[in-house]
Each structure stands twice: as structure tokens, then as C-alpha cells.
Amino acid sequence: MTKPMAQTVRFQPQGPFSPYLPQFTYTYSYSPPEKRVKVAVTHYLLRAIVIIEKIIRLLKSTTPFFEQYNHILKQLPNMYKMIKLIQEVQEATETEQNQLRERKEKRSTSGESKPKLFI
């Protein structure tokens, strides 16, 4: 396996304006591509292990809840169907009531005169 090569670069301008130009030094290192791939794969594997560990911890912490409320959770589909049926019945009665109101309004607005009571 090869070691990364570290190289230092110095920028020192020459000439009459050299005191006015920036001078800097920096070091960079080169690592071969296969080493970068190895580091990236290791990084992603470690992240995956941490995420899997969090999921396992979540499942362990929620297990008592599911054990306690298992009988209710099994009945959720039936409860949903019942609520849906109740809503449908309520909508049907509302539409019937609206139709009755419309019929009464039509009767009252038609040309027939209403009987008057004289006392």
C-alpha cells in the first residue's frame, strides 16, 4: 500500500512589486484513487451500521406498545369500515333531508295560494 504524498507549495513572487503581492504557503496531499474508494466504502458501511442499529433500537423500544395494544390494532380495519359506513349513512340522511326541503320549497313557491284562517 502506498503512503499519501504530501507536497508543500510556496508562492513567493519576484521582482519590484514582490512586497505588494501576496505570499503564501500551503500543503496538499495526494492519495491514490483506490484509497479514496476504500475510505468512501468504509464510511458508507459505517453509516449503514449506525442506521441499522437505530432501527433495531426503535423496534425494541416499540415492542411493548405493540404487545399491549395488539388486540386493538387487529381491530383497526373493522373500526375504519364502521366509521366509513356511519359517515355514508349521515351523508345519505343529509341528502334526503335536502331533497325534502327542496320539495317543500317547490310546493310553497308554486302558484297555489295558501288557505287563510279568519278568526
Side-chain angles (χ1 to χ4, degrees):
M1 190 156 157
T2 61
K3 292 183 179 179
M5 299 182 302
Q7 190 170 9
T8 303
V9 176
R10 292 182 178 86
F11 180 72
Q12 297 175 339
Q14 304 281 325
F17 300 108
S18 64
Y20 304 107
L21 295 173
Q23 298 180 6
F24 56 88
T25 303
Y26 67 93
T27 303
Y28 68 92
S29 62
Y30 169 80
S31 59
E34 59 271 4
K35 179 161 176 129
R36 285 183 289 192
V37 168
K38 179 181 175 185
V39 168
V41 167
T42 305
H43 173 73
Y44 288 122
L45 284 176
L46 289 175
R47 280 180 61 191
I49 290 172
V50 167
I51 290 171
I52 290 170
E53 183 181 5
K54 287 181 181 179
I55 291 171
I56 290 172
R57 197 176 321 136
L58 172 77
L59 291 174
K60 283 183 179 178
S61 67
T62 57
T63 301
F65 171 80
F66 287 112
E67 288 175 355
Q68 183 179 0
Y69 295 106
N70 188 22
H71 59 282
I72 294 173
L73 295 174
K74 285 182 180 179
Q75 296 299 324
L76 279 177
N78 294 336
M79 291 179 195
Y80 175 73
K81 289 176 187 176
M82 287 173 50
I83 291 172
K84 203 170 180 183
L85 286 172
I86 290 170
Q87 288 177 347
E88 288 176 3
V89 168
Q90 287 177 348
E91 289 174 0
T93 56
E94 287 176 5
T95 55
E96 288 175 4
Q97 289 175 356
N98 289 339
Q99 289 174 352
L100 287 173
R101 281 189 206 125
E102 289 174 3
R103 288 180 193 159
K104 288 180 182 178
E105 288 175 4
K106 286 182 184 178
R107 288 180 192 161
S108 64
T109 58
S110 63
E112 300 174 11
S113 63
K114 294 181 182 178
K116 295 182 183 178
L117 178 63
F118 296 100
I119 297 181

